[in-house]
């Protein structure tokens, strides 16, 4: 009798952590709908749910999604940035900019994973604001202050929680880092955009995968405070923020995402469709150990 060899890659089921996460999303959506008895029965009797879920899984199970949203990029780091500054130097700068807040970090030596340029210190946004958008605005004020007002936010009138929020993946990853490190400065292994140059932001989200996650306007804003040379020239690779989602006020859905670029010699913030690739942009990303 022939014995089948075990699969090299274990199959994930709804009993596993990732399967439980999927089921919890379904559970939350169902409970949030607030169905009455008749509505629940009508949904149960409507065919096509299994096919809809199977189609969703099929469309998202591998990293080929949006693969046509990539172009070759010749842009790079032109203004002096090569890798993150030492953590002690980053911490000193953030303490100078945010006095009155206890800013400590886990000084444990940690290796830099493949794909990261080094370790960055990112503020725990909960330490400076009640909402994510408020924290972003505080960092933007610091960017403007430290660059002698040479910072333009082209979405100044749309900086509300109705327009800007974290992606679920980034929010979950940063929550994990907060729980593990328990400091107001979080050590995040990250890269400043070059790894995903030429990819649309939604393509970058697919490629990042695994333990990686896209960084948002807050995280990248903090990185620019400690590394002001990163975007100092128009031809520097612009920094996409795939860890955030943005909905312009005249749109009905979150199909946009922010980016930082150099405009007239100063730093600028704007948004564009997350499915549009550019040879001048690259998504910044981090990873969870």
């Amino acid at each position: 009798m022939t014995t089948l060899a075990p699969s090299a890659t274990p199959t994930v089921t709804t009993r596993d952590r990732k399967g439980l996460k999927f089921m919890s999303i379904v559970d939350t959506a169902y409970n949030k709908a607030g169905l009455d008895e008749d509505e629940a029965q009508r949904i149960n009797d409507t065919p096509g749910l299994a096919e809809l879920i199977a189609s969703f899984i099929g469309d998202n199970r591998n990293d080929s999604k949006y693969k046509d949203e990539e172009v070759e990029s010749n842009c790079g780091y032109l203004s002096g940035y090569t890798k993150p500054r030492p953590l002690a130097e980053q911490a000193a700068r953030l303490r100078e900019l945010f006095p009155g807040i206890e800013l400590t970090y886990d000084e444990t030596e940690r290796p830099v994973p493949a794909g990261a340029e080094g370790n960055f210190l990112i503020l725990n946004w909960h330490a400076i604001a009640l909402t994510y958008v408020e924290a972003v605005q505080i960092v933007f004020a610091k960017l403007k202050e430290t660059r002698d007002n040479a910072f333009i936010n082209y979405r100044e009138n749309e900086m509300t929680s109705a327009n800007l929020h974290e992606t679920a993946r980034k929010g979950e990853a940063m929550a994990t880092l907060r729980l593990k490190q328990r400091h107001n400065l979080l050590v995040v292994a990250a890269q400043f955009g070059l790894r995903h140059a030429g990819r649309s932001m939604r393509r970058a989200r697919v490629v990042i995968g695994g333990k990686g996650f896209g960084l948002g306007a807050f995280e990248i804003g903090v990185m620019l405070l400690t590394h002001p040379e990163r975007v100092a020239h128009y031809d520097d690779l612009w920094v996409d923020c795939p860890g955030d989602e943005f909905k312009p006020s005249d749109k009905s859905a979150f199909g946009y995402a922010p980016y930082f670029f150099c405009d007239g010699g100063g730093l600028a913030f704007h948004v564009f469709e997350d499915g549009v690739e550019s040879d001048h942009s690259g998504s910044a990303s981090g990873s969870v150990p």
Side-chain angles (χ1 to χ4, degrees):
M1 182 175 67
T2 302
T3 304
L4 294 176
S7 172
T9 304
T11 300
V12 175
T13 73
T14 54
R15 294 183 178 184
D16 299 306
R17 182 173 62 86
K18 288 182 171 60
L20 289 170
K21 174 65 176 178
F22 180 89
M23 297 306 294
S24 74
I25 294 171
V26 176
D27 185 74
T28 299
Y30 191 92
N31 292 339
K32 187 177 179 180
L35 303 171
D36 61 29
E37 287 284 341
D38 291 339
E39 291 171 331
Q41 187 61 50
R42 193 174 303 117
I43 288 174
N44 290 347
D45 292 342
T46 301
L49 178 59
E51 291 79 4
L52 183 65
I53 294 175
S55 176
F56 178 86
I57 292 173
D59 288 344
N60 293 278
R61 68 182 300 157
N62 58 53
D63 63 4
S64 64
K65 192 172 185 181
Y66 309 127
K67 65 180 180 181
D68 59 335
E69 295 177 2
E70 292 190 36
V71 294
E72 185 177 351
S73 173
N74 294 318
C75 290
Y77 304 149
L78 303 180
S79 297
Y81 169 82
T82 55
K83 64 179 182 178
R85 289 187 167 98
L87 294 184
E89 188 176 332
Q90 294 183 54
R93 180 56 173 156
L94 292 173
R95 287 168 184 146
E96 178 184 349
L97 293 172
F98 297 92
I101 304 173
E102 184 182 6
L103 295 181
T104 58
Y105 64 96
D106 183 349
E107 299 185 33
T108 304
E109 285 288 330
R110 43 175 60 80
V112 177
E117 295 163 359
N119 289 317
F120 292 84
L121 285 182
I122 306 296
L123 274 167
N124 171 10
W125 70 256
H126 296 268
I128 63 171
L130 294 177
T131 70
Y132 179 72
V133 173
E134 289 173 347
V136 171
Q137 291 177 308
I138 289 171
V139 167
F140 281 12
K142 294 294 182 182
L143 286 170
K144 190 170 185 177
E145 173 189 324
T146 57
R147 292 170 183 257
D148 296 324
N149 289 323
F151 173 69
I152 302 173
N153 178 2
Y154 283 99
R155 294 289 172 164
E156 183 67 44
N157 295 327
E158 295 178 297
M159 298 299 289
T160 73
S161 297
N163 301 98
L164 175 69
H165 63 214
E166 300 177 277
T167 62
R169 171 60 187 147
K170 193 258 277 186
E172 181 182 80
M174 294 304 293
T176 297
L177 291 173
R178 288 194 296 270
L179 183 63
K180 287 186 174 184
Q181 298 187 27
R182 298 185 181 279
H183 289 269
N184 279 333
L185 291 178
L186 304 174
V187 181
V188 182
Q191 59 84 35
F192 232 138
L194 190 60
R195 183 174 176 82
H196 300 293
R199 290 174 173 146
S200 73
M201 282 186 265
R202 66 182 185 181
R203 173 60 181 160
R205 290 176 188 136
V206 171
V207 175
I208 291 168
K211 295 182 178 180
F213 61 96
L215 297 175
F218 178 80
E219 294 78 26
I220 297 168
V222 172
M223 291 161 65
L224 289 169
L225 285 173
T226 54
H227 301 82
E229 72 280 10
R230 170 60 185 89
V231 183
H233 189 280
Y234 181 83
D235 289 329
D236 276 321
L237 182 74
W238 299 349
V239 192
D240 291 341
C241 311
D244 287 346
E245 294 176 311
F246 192 91
K247 183 182 76 64
S249 296
D250 61 345
K251 303 294 181 182
S252 60
F254 284 85
Y256 289 69
Y259 69 104
F260 291 94
F261 66 106
C262 190
D263 181 24
L267 183 68
F269 174 85
H270 215 324
V271 305
F272 59 68
E273 293 177 80
D274 61 9
V276 175
E277 69 278 7
S278 169
D279 64 352
H280 214 140
S281 292
S283 290
S285 61
S287 62
V288 178

